[in-house]
Amino acid sequence: GSNYGPSYLIENTATYDRLFGGKHQMTLLIGQSAQQFDNFYLGGSRTGYATNTLQILDQGPINAQIGNYGGSSRSRLLSYFGRLNYEFAGKYLFQAIARFDGSSAFGRANSIGFFPGISAGWRLSEESFLKDVSSISNLKLRAGYGKVGNPQNAGTFAYTSLVNSSISNYGIVGTSYVLGGGSQNIASGSVPTRLPNPDIAWETNVQYNVGVDLGLFQNRVSASLDLYQRTSPNLLLYVPSSAISGTRDAVPTNAAASRNRGIDLSVTTNNYQGANNGFSWTTTLNVSAYRSLITDLGIGKPFNGQGIRGGGSLVRYDVGQPLGSFFGYVADGIIQSADELAALNAKSPTKFYQSSGTAPGDIKFKDVNGDGVVNDADRTFIGNPNPKFTYGLNNTFGFKGFDLNVFLQGSQGNDVYNLNRYYLEGGLAAATNAGTIALDRWTPTNTNTTIPRAVFNDPNQNNRVSSHYVEDGSYMRIKLLTLGYSLPASVLTAMHSQRIRVYVSAQNLLTVTKYTGFDPELGNQGNSFGVDRGIYPQARVFLAGVNLGF
């Protein structure tokens, strides 16, 4: 097979810059950008040949299986933009931006979006009432407003319907049609699998922010603080379609509105700068925190998002909940004995607290609404993938030619849905592999465990979406550790060189976390925010090298 995916980009900008009257500085920029992404693929397969000798593709033995595939796709982005910067006397700053952006992801009526922005700044440290304050090196106030469009969540030609000839993954029986009269010939065909939505439009983020920049003691201490609120009035989400529509694919829809409020803090300190002993130490700290909230559902009612194979929906969207919230059953320990199970069943008006196949060693799920039966009505919000805050701490040390850099990075307060355990605890489906965690499964002689029993076909549905698989994803990681040494000037002169530095470095050296998966630093896996679907862990890398300058 072959795959060819070129992209084309053309950009043009023009800038006008002028100083008026010695105090008025203006810069004007206008520009255009156009980009096209193509993808072409073609391939075929043949099986059943007795040898590996090259064969004619359209012929083969009687038992040969012949398969051909191919296709193409194209998407485009188009932008016209302008920016005006104005500064007066080095004290007062103003910026205005206007963008017209177009995307092939939307229909003709909504393909173009308008996204303006304005911001202003005031350098108080340049004012007469602060200019003579020696402890203040820099003080600047900032405020801004802007709109930004996002077409990425829509996909390619998301406003159109989908028609498929192979629908085995959609739960619809057959793609064959009976044609003709008496002969009743059977012909293969295609069926619609997703409804069109010509009304989808750009996902728009509207942001307000205020900030302050501060420098103290000849900028030995510098800090930046930003407070912001970002609202998204028309979030693009994939909304499940009704079964009576005859389709199974979720439809991209501007279905919800959300609000994010956050704070970003950055502080840099020159802790020590010794002129005599050559020792130096600089620290930079970055902290970010935000709270997301769904404020409105345009479709009128909560709906489920992404799911997991055999386990049902995992994410639910509802007003008052953070985006990406996990939704499922609450795991309430392991049923330890037949007497405990009998007591639970005795309280149920339907004879069984969970199911007829429930037995000791199965997960006991919480009866949230208290009706004596565990069913869909007992599902609730069980986790939040959004962290309380993220941080980075960078320390740089220097001493007589040596330099040491230590960068720590982490996240605190976020939940992770660990699908590794879903697949590796073992015994929850048919003949599947299991991880070593299954060695600690419940047995009559191993009851002090949270891992359910191994049983064929999982009659209790222990693998349903539940808090059993939700873990604390907080972590702290030594992201980078580098030790270097620069040769002294006397040696460099003899070697006719301006700079020679040798170094050793370690990436992802150490991770401190309670998370049991491969890597707590998941990133955003498409629509799988906070869901570990078997992410490949980041490697621990050791490097040694030499920097030369002549």
Side-chain angles (χ1 to χ4, degrees):
S2 65
N3 194 319
Y4 177 54
S7 63
Y8 309 93
L9 172 65
I10 180 171
E11 291 184 335
N12 293 280
T13 60
T15 303
Y16 175 76
D17 192 351
R18 182 154 182 198
L19 178 65
F20 298 92
K23 291 186 177 181
H24 303 270
Q25 177 70 47
M26 184 185 74
T27 303
L28 176 65
L29 179 145
I30 58 173
Q32 160 275 333
S33 175
Q35 195 163 11
Q36 178 173 300
F37 303 89
D38 289 337
N39 187 279
F40 308 94
Y41 62 96
L42 178 66
S45 63
R46 306 290 185 268
T47 63
Y49 292 99
T51 68
N52 291 328
T53 304
L54 181 64
Q55 307 289 331
I56 298 175
L57 291 180
D58 61 352
Q59 297 180 8
I62 296 177
N63 62 341
Q65 294 184 8
I66 300 175
N68 302 313
Y69 61 89
S72 64
S73 65
R74 171 173 291 175
S75 61
R76 290 172 173 170
L77 295 172
L78 175 66
S79 298
Y80 296 97
F81 50 86
R83 183 183 67 206
L84 172 67
N85 288 333
Y86 172 75
E87 179 179 329
F88 174 71
K91 303 177 185 179
Y92 312 108
L93 313 171
F94 175 80
Q95 183 181 86
I97 296 175
R99 295 185 62 97
F100 289 90
D101 292 323
S103 171
S104 60
F106 309 105
R108 185 177 297 274
N110 299 310
S111 61
I112 303 294
F114 174 59
F115 306 105
I118 58 173
S119 63
W122 179 19
R123 290 195 181 104
L124 278 81
S125 54
E126 295 297 316
E127 296 289 357
S128 58
F129 56 84
L130 283 179
K131 203 163 187 177
D132 294 331
V133 180
S134 59
S135 60
I136 299 178
S137 311
N138 177 48
L139 179 58
K140 178 182 176 183
L141 300 181
R142 297 176 280 103
Y145 159 84
K147 288 184 177 182
V148 178
N150 177 22
Q152 302 303 320
N153 291 338
T156 304
F157 299 104
Y159 60 93
T160 62
S161 61
L162 288 181
V163 177
N164 280 281
S165 59
S166 175
I167 55 172
S168 58
N169 293 328
Y170 297 89
I172 306 174
V173 179
T175 56
S176 299
Y177 298 84
V178 178
L179 300 176
S183 61
Q184 295 289 292
N185 295 321
I186 298 178
S188 297
S190 302
V191 296
T193 56
R194 189 183 76 190
L195 297 174
N197 182 9
D199 297 325
I200 65 169
W202 283 78
E203 187 178 86
T204 303
N205 296 314
V206 182
Q207 179 166 314
Y208 301 85
N209 73 282
V210 293
V212 57
D213 299 325
L214 177 65
L216 300 173
F217 314 116
Q218 285 74 51
N219 286 322
R220 288 195 63 178
V221 177
S222 59
S224 179
L225 177 68
D226 283 276
L227 302 174
Y228 66 86
Q229 174 173 290
R230 181 185 300 119
T231 58
S232 302
N234 56 352
L235 283 173
L236 273 167
L237 302 172
Y238 280 78
V239 179
S241 59
S242 170
I244 63 174
S245 68
T247 64
R248 288 297 183 268
D249 279 353
V251 180
T253 308
N254 296 102
S258 71
R259 182 191 69 214
N260 283 1
R261 288 175 175 168
I263 179 172
D264 294 325
L265 173 65
S266 177
V267 180
T268 299
T269 59
N270 295 310
N271 304 311
Y272 189 86
Q273 192 73 45
N276 297 326
N277 58 14
F279 178 74
S280 63
W281 174 22
T282 302
T283 299
T284 298
L285 172 67
N286 294 289
V287 180
S288 296
Y290 70 91
R291 299 292 181 267
S292 72
L293 198 68
I294 297 177
T295 57
D296 182 55
L297 288 177
I299 61 172
K301 63 180 182 179
F303 64 95
N304 297 328
Q306 68 202 60
I308 57 177
R309 186 177 64 189
S313 297
L314 171 55
V315 172
R316 188 167 178 84
Y317 301 95
D318 198 356
V319 173
Q321 295 294 330
L323 279 168
S325 294
F326 305 145
F327 187 80
Y329 294 88
V330 177
D332 194 20
I334 300 291
I335 299 173
Q336 296 292 345
S337 66
D339 290 341
E340 181 184 356
L341 179 59
L344 291 170
N345 290 336
K347 297 178 182 179
S348 173
T350 60
K351 189 177 178 181
F352 297 110
Y353 176 74
Q354 289 181 174
S355 71
S356 59
T358 303
D362 284 328
I363 297 175
K364 178 176 66 174
F365 297 102
K366 188 174 182 179
D367 177 18
V368 174
N369 63 2
D371 63 357
V373 179
V374 173
N375 52 29
D376 283 353
D378 295 302
R379 292 188 299 167
T380 187
F381 290 96
I382 57 175
N384 179 6
N386 300 280
K388 292 181 179 178
F389 63 92
T390 58
Y391 59 91
L393 179 64
N394 191 65
N395 280 282
T396 302
F397 304 89
F399 180 68
K400 294 184 177 180
F402 288 93
D403 60 90
L404 175 66
N405 179 257
V406 183
F407 176 47
L408 306 179
Q409 176 253 338
S411 176
Q412 187 66 37
N414 56 296
D415 293 321
V416 173
Y417 199 87
N418 189 353
L419 275 179
N420 299 297
R421 289 173 47 206
Y422 174 86
Y423 293 112
L424 296 177
E425 284 186 358
L428 300 183
T432 58
N433 289 327
T436 56
I437 192 173
L439 298 175
D440 192 36
R441 68 189 182 277
W442 187 95
T443 67
T445 58
N446 183 43
T447 58
N448 187 24
T449 180
T450 60
I451 310 303
R453 65 177 177 142
V455 55
F456 186 73
N457 278 342
D458 189 22
N460 186 57
Q461 291 185 307
N462 291 318
N463 67 346
R464 71 184 77 180
V465 174
S466 75
S467 61
H468 177 70
Y469 301 107
V470 177
E471 299 185 29
D472 182 2
S474 303
Y475 69 93
M476 188 279 291
R477 169 171 286 165
I478 301 179
K479 193 72 175 177
L480 180 64
L481 177 64
T482 302
L483 176 63
Y485 177 70
S486 298
L487 273 63
S490 58
V491 177
L492 294 176
T493 301
M495 300 179 66
H496 306 286
S497 176
Q498 294 182 352
R499 181 172 184 259
I500 298 179
R501 175 178 175 266
V502 294
Y503 68 92
V504 291
S505 177
Q507 300 174 14
N508 304 313
L509 181 62
L510 175 69
T511 302
V512 179
T513 183
K514 295 180 180 179
Y515 182 59
T516 63
F518 294 119
D519 191 342
E521 190 178 356
L522 300 179
N524 191 353
Q525 305 174 59
N527 292 324
S528 300
F529 180 47
V531 181
D532 189 349
R533 297 178 180 268
I535 184 175
Y536 195 85
Q538 298 185 59
R540 184 180 292 120
V541 180
F542 297 95
L543 299 171
V546 179
N547 299 130
L548 301 176
F550 294 97

